[in-house]
Amino acid sequence: MSISLHDHLRSTLDELAASDIAMTAPGASLLVQQYGDALRAGITVPTALRKRLHSANLETLRALAEEAEHDVEPAPSSVDPFDDPTVEFVLRARDQLESVLVGLRRIALVHGLVSDEFDPIYSLAQALARFDEQASKHLARNRVEQLIAERMSFQAGDGWLARYPHRDAVVDRPEVTLHAETFRPTSEQLTHWATQGVGAHRIEAWAKDDEATLEATALLEALDAERVPLSLNALRWSRAQKRLAQIEWAARPKASLAAATGTIHDATQTRTIDLGQLGDTRAVGRLIVTAAKTTLRVRAERSAVRSVQFGDRTTSEPDARDLWSVDLDAPHGPVELVVTSANGESFRCTIVIGPALEE
């Protein structure tokens, strides 16, 4: 990312923090877009602005998501769109809406809400996916990168660009492509990895250095001490440092312990464990634990995942909302979780769901 763009965004964030734009005002979508830009760029958001953004209630989130969905332009449909001056405008607007989506998802997370199970945000994500599906028929990825120009600086990994085919040579992006030996994650990027599993490949490659290992370990220990849930990627990395082969959660309600005696207990208690992104797959996971069973839910675009395995059960068909779901009856002991991407690569880990601890 160029320094001037960094400075411009920081200046804009400071101005927005000092403004009196309310989250219910017509200009609120600009707040969310700039918030998403900052999250994607790894730039710290002023506390006053962050608190204002996080104050948005679900009704406001719904209105903002619906407004953004309405702003999704028709995708370029020309076989030869390169000479059409509107294509550049449309693609830049599409990337700005990606930032709106990222910002809304973060605010939803603050509310304890899985954003893609909140219909308005899910609907916005699907509208953008449909745009990409249509546009990718006519535009190669390197052409998209050229057209959105400086906004390439906001790309964290492949993101939405992964939906576009590599039909031509990739453009040179020296300021965006970060080599392992020079990559240094921002605190925001480290936190995203620790809590949401984002950017695992780059961050865990960086963390092979002794000093970096200590820094990543200290962050995870601090978050754990504050009872901040950690992503499966971060937990798996942490366990590997200790040469432990499995990840354990004390989560199963105590009703399961009394089942063998025939004693009737409340079996409706539920514990939800958000796993975050699973490795470098384009999928996020969640465990839903009750006394009777554990359900693994994996959400990803239908084209991104080939199959999901949990224990001895496998599914290769998602539901209408691109949700893969696998149930196991109250598993005890190690259970293997495997998500296989469309390209054949797999994310694997072994987990154990133990009885919940006394409060």
Side-chain angles (χ1 to χ4, degrees):
M1 177 182 289
S2 65
I3 297 300
S4 61
L5 196 57
H6 255 291
D7 290 342
H8 178 72
L9 179 56
R10 287 196 178 97
S11 176
T12 301
L13 292 171
D14 288 339
E15 291 174 4
L16 291 173
S19 74
D20 57 359
I21 300 176
M23 287 301 292
T24 54
S29 58
L30 175 62
L31 296 179
V32 179
Q33 183 211 310
Q34 298 291 345
Y35 183 41
D37 282 348
L39 291 174
R40 296 169 72 194
I43 291 177
T44 301
V45 178
T47 301
L49 178 57
R50 189 171 63 250
K51 287 183 177 179
R52 193 188 319 163
L53 287 155
H54 292 176
S55 71
N57 57 30
L58 296 186
E59 182 179 351
T60 300
L61 284 182
R62 177 182 298 278
L64 289 168
E66 290 175 348
E67 177 186 348
E69 183 179 357
H70 179 75
D71 289 341
V72 177
E73 299 279 351
S77 57
S78 171
V79 174
D80 185 20
F82 299 152
D83 296 326
D84 185 346
T86 65
V87 174
E88 179 178 349
F89 171 81
V90 168
L91 286 171
R92 291 191 181 206
R94 187 262 174 266
D95 189 67
Q96 289 172 338
L97 288 175
E98 185 72 15
S99 288
V100 174
L101 178 62
V102 169
L104 290 174
R105 281 174 164 163
R106 172 57 68 88
I107 297 169
L109 181 65
V110 171
H111 284 273
L113 186 70
V114 178
S115 61
D116 284 350
E117 292 183 3
F118 181 54
D119 286 341
I121 296 180
Y122 178 79
S123 183
L124 170 60
Q126 291 299 97
L128 291 173
R130 288 192 296 271
F131 174 100
D132 295 331
E133 181 181 8
Q134 178 62 36
S136 64
K137 296 176 182 177
H138 311 289
L139 287 166
R141 173 166 169 169
N142 73 303
R143 183 57 179 164
V144 176
E145 293 177 352
Q146 291 171 338
L147 290 172
I148 65 176
E150 73 276 2
R151 287 199 64 83
M152 278 302 300
S153 301
F154 296 126
Q155 309 306 312
D158 286 344
W160 64 275
L161 294 173
R163 297 170 181 156
Y164 290 76
H166 286 282
R167 286 198 286 264
D168 300 304
V170 178
V171 297
D172 184 24
R173 295 188 293 150
E175 290 186 296
V176 177
T177 302
L178 300 175
H179 300 287
E181 62 270 19
T182 60
F183 173 65
R184 173 66 173 86
T186 64
S187 59
E188 191 80 31
Q189 288 171 320
L190 274 176
T191 302
H192 282 184
W193 165 73
T195 60
Q196 300 173 47
V198 177
H201 178 73
R202 290 197 302 170
I203 287 176
E204 291 170 22
W206 161 79
K208 289 180 180 179
D209 175 83
D210 288 346
E211 184 176 341
T213 298
L214 291 174
E215 183 175 344
T217 299
L219 171 65
L220 297 184
E221 289 177 349
L223 292 173
D224 188 53
E226 296 174 6
R227 296 191 175 186
V228 175
L230 300 178
S231 69
L232 184 56
N233 281 345
L235 288 170
R236 189 172 68 154
W237 178 85
S238 178
R239 297 296 190 275
Q241 305 312 303
K242 301 174 183 178
R243 292 181 169 78
L244 299 175
Q246 60 193 33
I247 298 167
E248 301 180 13
W249 283 281
R252 189 169 305 287
K254 291 187 178 299
S256 62
L257 300 179
T261 67
T263 306
I264 298 176
H265 287 263
D266 180 7
T268 63
Q269 298 179 65
T270 300
R271 168 77 186 278
T272 299
I273 303 171
D274 287 318
L275 305 177
Q277 185 174 344
L278 303 175
D280 285 315
T281 68
R282 289 156 56 192
V284 295
R286 162 182 274 196
L287 294 172
I288 301 173
V289 185
T290 68
K293 66 180 181 180
T294 298
T295 299
L296 169 65
R297 289 184 179 173
V298 172
R299 186 178 296 283
E301 294 175 18
R302 188 175 297 262
S303 61
V305 171
R306 180 181 300 175
S307 65
V308 174
Q309 175 188 335
F310 192 39
D312 60 356
R313 301 183 185 180
T314 302
T315 181
S316 57
E317 289 295 333
D319 63 18
R321 296 185 59 177
D322 294 343
L323 186 69
W324 279 257
S325 186
V326 185
D327 293 333
L328 285 184
D329 295 334
H332 297 281
V335 175
E336 190 171 33
L337 185 162
V338 183
V339 176
T340 303
S341 297
N343 62 8
E345 296 181 357
S346 294
F347 167 83
R348 295 174 177 270
C349 72
T350 302
I351 68 173
V352 176
I353 304 296
L357 300 176
E358 293 282 356
E359 292 294 334

